[in-house]
Amino acid sequence: MSLGRMWVLLLFVALAVYPFLPLAEANRGEQFTILFIYAILALGLNVVMGYAGLLHLGIAAFFGIGAYTVGILTVPFLPFQQSFLVAALAAVVVSAAVGIAVTAPILRLRGDYFALVTLGLGLITLYAIRNLDAITEGTKGMNPIEAGPLPGIPDTVDMSAWRLRPDWSMRWYKYPYLYFLSLGTLAVVMLLLRNLEASRLGRAWVALREDELASACMGLNPARLKLAAVALGAGLAGLAGAFYAMALRTTGNPQAYDFTLSIIMVCCVILGGLGNRSGVLLGTFILMGFDRIITNILDNELQALQQRLNLGFGGQAYTKVSGWKLMIFGTVLILMMRFRPEGLLPEARHQRELHPEVAEAQGEAAAKIEAGETIRDK
Amino acid sequence: MFELLAIHPAASEFGQFLILGLVLGSLYALIAIGYTMVYGIIELINFAHGDLFMLGSFLALGIASGLGVLTAEAGVAWIVLTIGLMLVATPLFCATLNVTIDRFIYRPLRKSPKLTVIVSAIGVSFIFMNIGLFWRGATPVKFPDLIADTNLIDGTGLRFTWKDAMVVGITVPTMIGLTVLVKFTTLGKAMRATAQNPHAAQLMGIHVNRVIAATFAIGGALAGIASVVYGLYIKSVDYQMGFQNGLYAFTAAVLGGVGNIPGAVLGGLVIGVVGELGKAYLGAKWSEALIFGILIIILLFRPTGLLGARTREKV
Amino acid sequence: MAVLEVHKLTMRFGGITAVNNVDLTIHPGEIFSLIGPNGAGKTTVFNAITGIYEPTGGEIRFNNQPIVQPLTARTFVFALFVGITAGLLLMILAVNIEALWQTAIRDNFKGKDEPFDWGQAFADAGSHIAGRGDRAAAGFGIGLILGVAGTLASWRRARHAPDFIMRGGIARTFQNIRLFQSMTVLENVLVGMTRDLTAHPLLSALNLGSHQQQERDAERRAAEILAFVGLAGKHNELAKNLPYGDQRRLEIARALATRPQLLLLDEPAAGMNPSETAELMQLIRTIRDRGITVMLIEHHMNLVMGISDRVAVLNFGVKIAEGPPAEVCRNPKVIEAYLGQEEVS
């Protein structure tokens, strides 16, 4: 196993032991949990974009549908009162079903039209969530979400024996182990996707992406393959949404599921390496980690520095790192696209698709060798 | 929500919303043309276009503040001068910015796959937004109210104010001028040729990069004009407005058949009217959803937009 | 009995008639060639047979069955299901989903620890909908019609789809090679074999049971096919890095992997040198000997005359001759069609 693959394994091990380390902080753990959840979402998007090659600009809608399904099924002021397991499964099924239902009619649209319609569907979902107050509580968000983990079984996991950091279990009310649960889910998703990539479905998606007509002539049903990718991607996004609602104990403001999130997810996938699981993981950790963790730390440091030195230029957007966030994102995206469009950890196939000149050179070399051989044969 | 259907505006109100819709629609059309021209020529969904429009309106606002012309009381001469200056400086600024972006960011990616360029455009959009944030802060800023709201068609039960007249008076001639440019000038012919087949156009001696730059310049200038009109009409600007309006304009472009200029105009008008009628009959909070709903329904029946050409793959 | 019958096939694109009233009959186990000058409509015939184009007129029958997906009861049931789902959704929207939720769920909810009366909730929902009968009916009706019509329309569009026709047993290659360029040679063949791999994707994701067995079997059969076309030992090369002749052979291997009954080869010898062409002729014969009927388009007259059992000649979309090769090449119409237009080598 090369180092290139080892790092993912090492990362997972490191993250799994992190809560037991003396340097661990519970609020950091909370932030990591959100990263794991976004990574699941990005992997879902990667199925649609990286595997099936459909530019999807509305993945956040399925994230929202997942979160709100959990909200509706678990909040104490509605009669459903399901456990988290049931609610999360429902979130996956509902998201996948909505994904199929809204994508089936628009499959025959060409690339850019498809992208725009997914964007539109994402916004319609967001508006519906925002406007249907009686069902979704509108902009207030549904809370509290405090369901038990399994149907009918009280939460008996006692974490006091786990030797975690002392305040770790204070954070998540009923779910001190949510950190491990989301990390484990992420690992399982990675494994399942790896197997799927090597199966007929994975190959069929690659074939479809490369040449839809030729793959149809090989008996593959393009519509069904695309729907399968969308269903899987939406299902994973719904799962991520379910975890998100659990981790925040609320669905939060519907704004959390808007177009910006969809676009940032697209950026995570592309930054990491379209089609490559490990790359997507890395891309999400870098981009969302920067967004959620590093800017906060830097902002606090900067503010502390200002106060210490009494500089008195605080308060402006450009005196905070978070104020520069879009600028940094934008610059990184532009530079990446210019110099490394295949992402940080490119998937071999996508790299070949993005760098035709390399393959051409190889092809020419091969042709020369071939020509040389035939001459020698004669 | 649908109880709102019970509100049946009177016929005159229908007419009023129609007027509002057409006025707003012509504004969207102006932005949409910028999208559609760029798409037509290099197949790029220019996500930064809406934010370019936003920066344009900030510049217009800066001009008004710089001249101190902030209310309608400033006198007609000053107002005309200010608006005139805005209508010259803003398009110039937006065109220059757009061409610069094309030269340094999109041009090196000319041979890259579409997705690469689109993601770069998203990056540019982020940067523009951040510039807007630094320029005018995060909260909406009031745009000087320079044009009176006097009704021009008193007595008909409808309202068509000087503001409405200003929007129509600026957008319609601009669009006519553009159509003439694309149809009858050499540049226009070169543009159409490049849009059809850049490679063949190059072989015919057309300087493709120059044509593309010209397209970005024209698209940017239109966004600049639209931004001035928008500021004067809506009277409030903020750094995130590029997203919403850009999205409407892009929707308009796709609705009409992306790459097709009359299509963009038609799409803009449809979106304006649908949005306003949606506000009237479904309530303001559902009108955005309605716009995208209409877009999806139209694309289901005409997958390449209202005026888009159908294509067939060669095997 | 014929494998493939093309009856009065006509293809029009706008004002141009590319293929005009062409009749062809291909018998099982023969090698049938379609020749003609450039632009005669040969590839168009192939595209119509394989479902890439829908014929403007005429009929194509494969094994005495029309090659369009029949309208079965299943399609209707599915359309009805979609229609009813859409109808119910629209109905709920039409009666104001928020008010419905309020009356049925929220108003009946007494508290976290009180039992929820589901019967009451459904009764209230029912009366809410009944109270808005017109809207509910209109919503349901529109949804039903749209759902059924949409499903039937998409069936109508897909009934002549290439994948359906291929699953019936017609495989093809392309004139301008259309391999999956960035996949390896083996993967290309495995894509052709997708039909053999029936394990549920869920099993594949878990890497369990029949999935592994099937993958192993498929790889073995792929290796056989690759050896058969002469690409043994190149399994892991990228398709695009193969020399031209090998790419053509890989296209044939990929088509064979689908277990076709009828194989359509579109200019398989284009760009091949004489020795490669000779090998190809042998390969095509062997394929025929394996019981696969071969229909081919070719400009290479040596190849056509050497292996064909029968030849049909198209010119300007019209069939001008058909028969055994020796007879066809003496036909004055054929000579006229070719003379001065193309080198007959």
Side-chain angles (χ1 to χ4, degrees):
Chain A
M1 200 185 247
S2 68
L3 190 73
R5 287 175 181 213
M6 278 294 272
W7 76 264
V8 180
L9 201 64
L10 289 176
L11 181 71
F12 272 100
V13 171
L15 287 170
V17 300
Y18 172 77
F20 303 97
L21 302 178
L23 59 93
E25 284 173 52
N27 74 345
R28 195 70 74 228
E30 204 168 12
Q31 289 168 332
F32 283 172
T33 309
I34 302 290
L35 285 195
F36 305 153
I37 292 166
Y38 280 128
I40 297 176
L41 175 61
L43 286 170
L45 179 61
N46 185 41
V47 173
V48 182
M49 274 181 61
Y51 297 174
L54 299 168
L55 178 54
H56 200 292
L57 298 178
I59 199 75
F62 301 112
F63 190 60
I65 289 172
Y68 273 87
T69 307
V70 167
I72 288 170
L73 289 181
T74 61
V75 281
F77 57 80
L78 288 176
F80 307 101
Q81 318 261 348
Q82 294 298 321
S83 64
F84 175 59
L85 180 72
V86 174
L89 285 178
V92 173
V93 172
V94 171
S95 305
V98 172
I100 293 177
V102 299
T103 317
I106 61 167
L107 272 180
R108 69 192 187 112
L109 299 180
R110 278 195 297 123
D112 296 327
Y113 292 86
F114 180 87
L116 177 76
V117 169
T118 57
L119 191 164
L121 286 169
L123 288 173
I124 290 178
T125 312
L126 180 71
Y127 298 141
I129 290 176
R130 192 190 63 196
N131 294 346
L132 294 173
D133 290 284
I135 303 173
T136 62
E137 299 283 294
T139 48
K140 289 199 297 275
M142 309 192 85
N143 59 70
I145 294 171
E146 301 174 334
L150 291 168
I153 301 169
D155 190 0
T156 53
V157 180
D158 180 11
M159 306 250 312
S160 55
W162 287 27
R163 297 175 167 280
L164 294 169
R165 298 283 87 209
D167 59 343
W168 198 270
S169 57
M170 311 281 287
R171 285 281 172 166
W172 284 294
Y173 188 63
K174 282 189 175 174
Y175 292 95
Y177 50 84
L178 190 67
Y179 177 89
F180 297 103
L181 194 61
S182 42
L183 180 64
T185 309
L186 177 60
V188 169
V189 168
M190 292 277 283
L191 272 177
L192 295 186
L193 288 179
R194 191 198 68 177
N195 291 339
L196 213 51
E197 274 175 31
S199 77
R200 71 178 159 115
L201 201 56
R203 283 192 301 267
W205 278 328
V206 179
L208 181 75
R209 199 173 69 215
E210 289 221 353
D211 192 333
E212 182 164 333
L213 194 107
S215 57
C217 286
M218 292 303 117
L220 306 180
N221 183 335
R224 200 172 284 181
L225 283 171
K226 287 179 188 171
L227 279 185
V230 169
L232 180 58
L236 286 176
L239 181 68
F243 271 96
Y244 185 75
M246 285 306 293
L248 297 187
R249 292 209 282 139
T250 168
T251 57
N253 190 314
Q255 220 59 44
Y257 314 100
D258 71 356
F259 176 67
T260 318
L261 179 65
S262 298
I263 281 287
I264 290 191
M265 281 300 132
V266 171
C267 296
C268 288
V269 170
I270 289 173
L271 176 76
L274 192 62
N276 181 334
R277 281 163 288 118
S278 320
V280 169
L281 199 67
L282 183 72
T284 316
F285 282 0
I286 292 177
L287 220 57
M288 296 314 281
F290 176 76
D291 184 29
R292 295 284 161 135
I293 304 175
I294 296 175
T295 43
N296 279 341
I297 299 175
L298 291 178
D299 268 354
N300 289 338
E301 295 288 324
L302 209 62
Q303 206 180 2
L305 191 74
Q306 270 169 32
Q307 273 166 2
R308 192 139 36 87
L309 302 176
N310 214 356
L311 290 173
F313 61 77
Q316 295 294 329
Y318 44 81
T319 59
K320 281 189 282 195
V321 179
S322 53
W324 288 83
K325 199 167 76 185
L326 287 173
M327 188 77 85
I328 295 170
F329 272 21
T331 315
V332 168
L333 284 181
I334 291 170
L335 292 178
M336 283 291 297
M337 289 304 104
R338 177 78 178 82
F339 299 107
R340 205 176 158 82
E342 65 273 34
L344 295 171
L345 291 179
E347 202 251 350
R349 258 190 263 282
H350 278 280
Q351 188 166 25
R352 293 193 285 266
E353 285 167 19
L354 285 162
H355 285 289
E357 69 282 356
V358 177
E360 273 164 24
Q362 283 171 354
E364 274 167 29
K368 268 181 207 148
I369 292 168
E370 182 72 15
E373 277 170 2
T374 38
I375 291 164
R376 252 180 281 121
D377 288 348
K378 282 169 189 170
Chain B
M1 68 191 235
F2 287 85
E3 305 292 39
L4 284 160
L5 282 172
I7 312 167
H8 286 300
S12 68
E13 273 182 66
F14 176 82
Q16 188 58 54
F17 284 114
L18 203 61
I19 291 179
L20 273 177
L22 288 173
V23 169
L24 220 57
S26 58
L27 190 57
Y28 293 142
L30 213 50
I31 317 177
I33 292 172
Y35 270 111
T36 231
M37 286 178 73
V38 167
Y39 186 91
I41 215 151
I42 55 171
E43 300 212 331
L44 162 69
I45 304 175
N46 188 1
F47 272 99
H49 196 72
D51 301 286
L52 183 77
F53 160 83
M54 176 268 296
L55 289 182
S57 73
F58 279 19
L59 181 80
L61 179 60
I63 291 172
S65 326
L67 292 174
V69 181
L70 295 172
T71 55
E73 275 98 66
V76 179
W78 272 106
I79 289 175
V80 171
L81 179 74
T82 313
I83 296 178
L85 193 60
M86 283 178 184
L87 284 177
V88 174
T90 314
L92 265 179
F93 166 72
C94 289
T96 316
L97 195 56
N98 221 15
V99 171
T100 316
I101 293 290
D102 171 56
R103 174 64 190 83
F104 292 104
I105 294 176
Y106 304 142
R107 197 201 278 186
L109 301 175
R110 217 63 103 199
K111 287 195 176 117
S112 305
K114 262 202 249 175
L115 190 63
T116 313
V117 197
I118 291 177
V119 174
S120 300
I122 293 175
V124 175
S125 149
F126 282 174
I127 293 178
F128 280 1
M129 241 153 72
N130 215 147
I131 294 173
L133 176 69
F134 288 165
W135 194 346
R136 282 287 173 178
T139 45
V141 192
K142 241 174 75 84
F143 199 93
D145 188 5
L146 298 180
I147 295 174
D149 279 321
T150 331
N151 192 359
L152 295 174
I153 44 172
D154 246 340
T156 54
L158 295 173
R159 276 176 67 79
F160 185 80
T161 64
W162 274 112
K163 275 207 182 71
D164 298 321
M166 178 271 302
V167 175
V168 177
I170 296 177
T171 54
V172 172
T174 311
M175 289 189 267
I176 292 172
L178 181 82
T179 313
V180 171
L181 180 104
V182 172
K183 273 230 144 82
F184 301 111
T185 63
T186 322
L187 175 65
K189 278 178 197 147
M191 277 175 172
R192 281 182 289 150
T194 311
Q196 283 213 346
N197 188 340
H199 193 66
Q202 193 153 28
L203 291 177
M204 293 299 111
I206 293 172
H207 206 307
V208 170
N209 273 329
R210 216 173 280 165
V211 172
I212 294 174
T215 310
F216 271 90
I218 295 172
L222 293 178
I225 295 173
S227 74
V228 174
V229 176
Y230 180 92
L232 291 170
Y233 190 70
I234 307 284
K235 293 172 298 188
S236 169
V237 290
D238 68 281
Y239 85 104
Q240 286 177 316
M241 75 183 206
F243 170 69
Q244 186 77 350
N245 292 290
L247 202 56
Y248 282 172
F250 177 44
T251 307
V254 172
L255 193 59
V258 72
N260 182 314
I261 293 174
V265 175
L266 179 65
L269 295 179
V270 168
I271 292 220
V273 170
V274 166
E276 285 307 310
L277 293 181
K279 271 182 204 159
Y281 291 90
L282 285 178
K285 63 179 188 177
W286 287 105
S287 95
E288 299 148 317
L290 183 71
I291 288 179
F292 291 108
I294 296 277
L295 168 82
I296 293 167
I297 291 168
I298 289 183
L299 286 186
L300 285 183
F301 290 100
R302 288 198 61 94
T304 46
L306 290 172
L307 303 182
R310 293 167 182 226
T311 50
R312 187 188 278 278
E313 196 185 359
K314 173 98 179 109
V315 186
Chain C
M1 203 198 84
V3 176
L4 185 79
E5 276 171 285
V6 176
H7 184 62
K8 288 197 181 313
L9 176 71
T10 301
M11 281 296 315
R12 248 179 242 116
F13 301 103
I16 303 157
T17 306
V19 174
N20 197 359
N21 273 329
V22 168
D23 289 308
L24 295 171
T25 308
I26 289 107
H27 301 297
E30 72 176 347
I31 297 177
F32 184 94
S33 292
L34 198 56
I35 61 171
N38 284 326
K42 306 179 295 290
T43 299
T44 310
V45 171
F46 264 28
N47 285 345
I49 294 174
T50 49
I52 292 167
Y53 297 152
E54 183 158 1
T56 319
E59 202 192 12
I60 300 168
R61 292 173 80 84
F62 180 60
N63 284 336
N64 234 354
Q65 298 281 322
I67 54 158
V68 286
Q69 203 160 3
L71 189 58
T72 55
R74 227 182 118 190
T75 320
F76 274 116
V77 171
F78 181 67
L80 210 61
F81 166 76
V82 173
I84 289 174
T85 317
L88 287 177
L89 269 175
L90 261 193
M91 181 182 80
I92 292 175
L93 283 177
V95 299
N96 189 341
I97 184 167
E98 276 191 287
L100 179 67
W101 185 270
Q102 187 72 39
T103 5
I105 307 282
R106 293 229 163 171
D107 291 352
N108 283 319
F109 185 61
K110 303 288 187 306
K112 199 169 168 357
D113 302 315
E114 302 280 319
F116 186 75
D117 188 352
W118 284 102
Q120 186 61 39
F122 280 112
D124 285 351
S127 63
H128 178 89
I129 294 172
R132 292 163 177 74
D134 302 349
R135 281 165 167 240
F140 184 77
I142 293 172
L144 184 70
I145 292 168
L146 282 183
V148 171
T151 317
L152 290 181
S154 72
W155 165 82
R156 170 74 179 73
R157 265 201 304 275
R159 69 184 183 143
H160 199 265
D163 56 297
F164 171 76
I165 290 169
M166 192 276 115
R167 285 195 294 273
I170 303 179
R172 73 171 289 175
T173 66
F174 296 89
Q175 183 180 350
N176 42 346
I177 300 175
R178 296 186 81 138
L179 286 169
F180 305 122
Q181 298 281 340
S182 65
M183 291 177 110
T184 64
V185 168
L186 181 69
E187 283 172 325
N188 264 285
V189 178
L190 285 175
V191 169
M193 242 171 248
T194 302
R195 261 199 322 160
D196 284 0
L197 302 167
T198 49
H200 193 272
L202 222 55
L203 284 181
S204 313
L206 295 168
N207 203 7
L208 281 178
S210 57
H211 166 72
Q212 284 188 322
Q213 184 58 40
Q214 285 186 355
E215 287 281 324
R216 273 199 298 274
D217 290 349
E219 278 186 34
R220 202 168 47 233
R221 201 163 82 79
E224 278 172 29
I225 294 174
L226 285 173
F228 174 68
V229 300
L231 287 173
K234 297 195 172 175
H235 290 200
N236 291 323
E237 272 188 57
L238 289 182
K240 69 160 113 189
N241 292 346
L242 288 180
Y244 201 72
D246 282 358
Q247 292 201 6
R248 291 236 172 255
R249 270 197 279 267
L250 179 54
E251 266 215 325
I252 296 175
R254 187 179 65 173
L256 285 176
T258 63
R259 298 181 191 275
Q261 206 181 332
L262 173 66
L263 178 63
L264 308 186
L265 302 173
D266 197 344
E267 297 196 22
M272 283 190 172
N273 61 30
S275 72
E276 283 176 320
T277 310
E279 277 173 39
L280 180 74
M281 281 170 78
Q282 196 48 51
L283 179 64
I284 295 174
R285 280 201 196 98
T286 329
I287 291 171
R288 190 259 320 265
D289 294 344
R290 286 191 161 197
I292 298 169
T293 311
V294 178
M295 183 174 176
L296 98 135
I297 292 177
E298 194 44 75
H299 285 298
H300 221 291
M301 284 307 151
N302 285 345
L303 188 146
V304 171
M305 297 305 159
I307 62 172
S308 306
D309 297 312
R310 280 186 316 131
V311 178
V313 188
L314 287 189
N315 194 23
F316 294 114
V318 183
K319 189 173 84 177
I320 53 171
E322 187 181 335
E327 199 176 290
V328 164
C329 60
R330 282 197 303 271
N331 186 321
K333 274 191 194 166
V334 177
I335 294 167
E336 189 191 324
Y338 270 96
L339 257 181
Q341 291 182 23
E342 199 166 25
E343 182 193 15
V344 185
S345 54

